[in-house]
Amino acid sequence: MHGEYKVPGGKLVVVDLDVEGGALRNVRVAGDFFLEPDEAILAIDAALEGAPAHTGTAGLAARIDAALPASTVMLGLSSEGVAVAVRRALAQATEWSDYDWQLIHEAPQSPALHMALDEVITAEVAAGRRPPTLRVWEWASPAVIIGSFQSLRNEVDPAGAERHGITVVRRVSGGGAMFVEPGNTITYSLSVPDSLVSGLSFADSYAYLDDWVLGALGDMGIKAWYQPLNDIATDAGKIAGAAQKRVVGGEGAVLHHVTMSYDIDADKMLEVLRIGKEKLSDKGTKSAKKRVDPLRRQTGLAREAVIERMIESFRTRYGLAQGKVTDEEMARAEELVRTKFGTEEWTARVP
């Protein structure tokens, strides 16, 4: 069995192993990390040898920690990272490069239709009728997207939304409210098979699925990192927020979507969103304007150029063929707008 895991902010860990009699055998750990002293790698292998195959990530990490020499120094590596690679090997997890990825980047669409397309496309990936898909959104109108479990009245000022012509929609994933305007926001979705994140905790899957875009931002000169649970941050502030939804049925799939601030009208946002003091204090800021740092200022590039570079970065890493929303998928999405995402019942399901 073979498992790989790139430690967030670190290096790649590779584990090869067998399972015999319910225990790990012939364990070999490798990767492009740095580890001192040399014998520490042998200690890691020995610590994992014979471990019950059902041992969880925490238990495997504890075995490694107990076996390492006191002088051990790890750079780009952690005991938890090795344990995750082991769990991914045991789960027979797939890798990014195992798939023929498809890109959807089409004309602007309504906020409610975007919500519906996320659900339909991810269900198609789960059913095996669609390859893993990167969908880059274009917005037909400004919107506030609230999380699946947020209170509508607590998050949105209805007078402000009406005054600025803001459509309010509710997505299927959890997380916080997002304020978007055409031309000022970059939004994308990854619809991926569940096997891509096998062996990862829910929290770890965020970092794993965000890793490619951190690389893309780095190519544009932005030093960005994953900030638990679901933010992408830089020294200048937060630039993106992610959310996920697990889809059952078929082989299962994960929807991971991200909204990035290219340029933001912070004054308008404050008139539409009810951003509480608790949320601001949790981010360590006094002003909502400081919570998001526009990509325009950090890159000096047009929004379209940023998107093109992100797409090309993904294509270079994993391959990416041009695709489209099929007629059948669009028909199903439009029906979901009519029956779910465009209805007051759904939008106000948590009043």
Side-chain angles (χ1 to χ4, degrees):
M1 297 178 180
H2 179 86
E4 297 184 4
Y5 179 61
K6 186 177 182 298
V7 176
K11 298 293 186 176
L12 181 69
V13 182
V14 180
V15 175
D16 292 286
L17 56 84
D18 299 317
V19 175
E20 299 174 2
L24 308 187
R25 300 296 180 193
N26 305 315
V27 181
R28 293 293 179 269
V29 176
D32 59 356
F33 48 80
F34 300 91
L35 180 64
E36 294 288 347
D38 284 351
E39 55 266 28
I41 190 68
L42 301 178
I44 293 174
D45 292 344
L48 295 171
E49 189 74 21
H54 59 75
T55 307
T57 300
L60 293 170
R63 290 176 69 107
I64 294 170
D65 287 338
L68 288 172
S71 59
T72 298
V73 176
M74 295 180 171
L75 295 175
L77 176 69
S78 67
S79 56
E80 291 80 9
V82 176
V84 169
V86 171
R87 294 307 313 168
R88 284 179 58 75
L90 292 169
Q92 299 184 33
T94 54
E95 304 296 333
W96 294 83
S97 57
D98 291 336
Y99 298 104
D100 295 323
W101 291 87
Q102 188 172 109
L103 169 69
I104 295 176
H105 188 196
E106 298 184 340
Q109 291 155 330
S110 72
L113 186 58
H114 278 306
M115 303 303 108
L117 283 170
D118 262 358
E119 181 169 313
V120 169
I121 289 171
T122 308
E124 288 296 282
V125 172
R129 293 188 291 266
R130 162 174 282 282
T133 299
L134 167 64
R135 184 171 74 91
V136 179
W137 305 19
E138 295 294 346
W139 294 92
S141 61
V144 167
I145 306 96
I146 58 175
S148 181
F149 310 108
Q150 287 189 295
S151 163
L152 177 60
R153 69 167 66 99
N154 287 349
E155 298 300 326
V156 181
D157 183 320
E162 183 177 1
R163 183 166 59 254
H164 293 293
I166 305 293
T167 300
V168 181
V169 292
R170 185 184 295 273
R171 62 180 182 267
V172 295
S173 60
M178 306 301 294
F179 173 79
V180 302
E181 294 182 288
N184 286 351
T185 306
I186 297 173
T187 307
Y188 68 86
S189 302
L190 285 170
S191 297
V192 306
D194 187 67
S195 58
L196 185 63
V197 296
S198 292
L200 300 178
S201 68
F202 189 83
D204 286 340
S205 68
Y206 274 87
Y208 186 73
L209 294 176
D210 279 339
D211 187 68
W212 77 272
V213 81
L214 299 184
L217 291 169
D219 293 342
M220 288 181 270
I222 299 176
K223 182 181 179 181
W225 61 86
Y226 163 72
Q227 183 169 295
L229 171 66
N230 61 334
D231 289 347
I232 295 174
T234 70
D235 288 331
K238 172 184 171 180
I239 60 171
Q244 284 187 9
K245 176 67 176 180
R246 304 297 170 108
V247 175
V248 297
E251 298 182 359
V254 176
L255 167 65
H256 180 91
H257 42 200
V258 175
T259 295
M260 311 177 77
S261 294
Y262 172 73
D263 192 9
I264 191 166
D265 185 335
D267 290 331
K268 186 185 296 185
M269 180 181 72
L270 289 174
E271 292 181 29
V272 176
L273 294 183
R274 288 174 168 159
I275 302 176
K277 293 180 180 179
E278 281 296 318
K279 183 175 290 187
L280 293 178
S281 64
D282 180 59
K283 301 296 181 181
T285 61
K286 296 180 180 180
S287 168
K289 294 184 181 181
K290 296 180 181 177
R291 288 192 56 219
V292 284
D293 185 63
L295 282 171
R296 184 175 70 172
R297 177 159 57 87
Q298 294 200 59
T299 64
L301 298 171
R303 174 181 177 274
E304 293 74 15
V306 173
I307 292 174
E308 288 175 4
R309 293 198 183 193
M310 288 172 57
I311 290 172
E312 186 56 34
S313 180
F314 192 104
R315 181 179 287 115
T316 299
R317 285 172 167 80
Y318 310 119
L320 190 62
Q322 185 64 48
K324 66 177 184 177
V325 177
T326 67
D327 292 342
E328 181 181 351
E329 289 168 342
M330 183 59 75
R332 287 170 55 196
E334 290 172 343
E335 178 65 12
L336 277 175
V337 170
R338 188 184 69 82
T339 60
K340 181 177 180 179
F341 293 104
T343 68
E344 181 68 17
E345 181 181 10
W346 169 257
T347 304
R349 74 184 187 100
V350 182

